[in-house]
Amino acid sequence: MTKAIPSDLIPFLIERNIMSDSTGPTFARSGKQPDPLPVCAICPKAMWYRSSKRLRAFCRELRTITWQDDEVEPILECDGYEATLAPPDEDRR
């Protein structure tokens, strides 16, 4: 089960490049620190994009916008994230 990352740890993780491999560069550069942090912030399937007014995440797994900067109920856990990180199932080859 994925646990939400406390938002006060985000700057520390980004500064030390701990999240850089799995955090979208657009999200990292945005300076946004949502509390709680949506799982989309660290999911490789999330495609972050920014307009002049908004920051949003599009999920390539769910094929929908999963987060935007006025989100009141962010996604904290997701099977798509878990499946992305899971090792390949040898039985499915």
Side-chain angles (χ1 to χ4, degrees):
M1 176 182 288
T2 305
K3 299 292 182 193
I5 296 173
S7 62
D8 59 336
L9 286 179
I10 298 170
F12 173 83
L13 297 172
I14 291 173
E15 180 181 314
R16 286 162 180 79
N17 293 323
I18 294 170
M19 289 176 63
S20 63
D21 289 341
S22 58
T23 304
T26 300
F27 175 78
R29 285 191 304 264
S30 75
K32 298 279 184 180
Q33 295 183 19
D35 187 16
L37 182 70
V39 72
C40 311
I42 58 170
C43 183
K45 292 281 187 170
M47 298 297 296
W48 289 86
Y49 61 100
R50 188 174 68 84
S51 68
S52 61
K53 296 181 181 181
R54 304 196 94 145
L55 176 67
R56 292 183 175 141
F58 177 82
C59 177
R60 292 180 284 171
E61 187 74 18
L62 300 175
R63 298 181 184 170
T64 190
I65 294 172
T66 53
W67 190 88
Q68 50 193 6
D69 49 13
D70 63 352
E71 189 67 52
V72 293
E73 204 171 316
I75 297 170
L76 302 178
E77 297 180 31
C78 178
D79 289 347
Y81 173 74
E82 298 289 335
T84 300
L85 299 181
D89 186 355
E90 292 182 16
D91 294 337
R92 294 183 186 177
R93 290 183 190 186

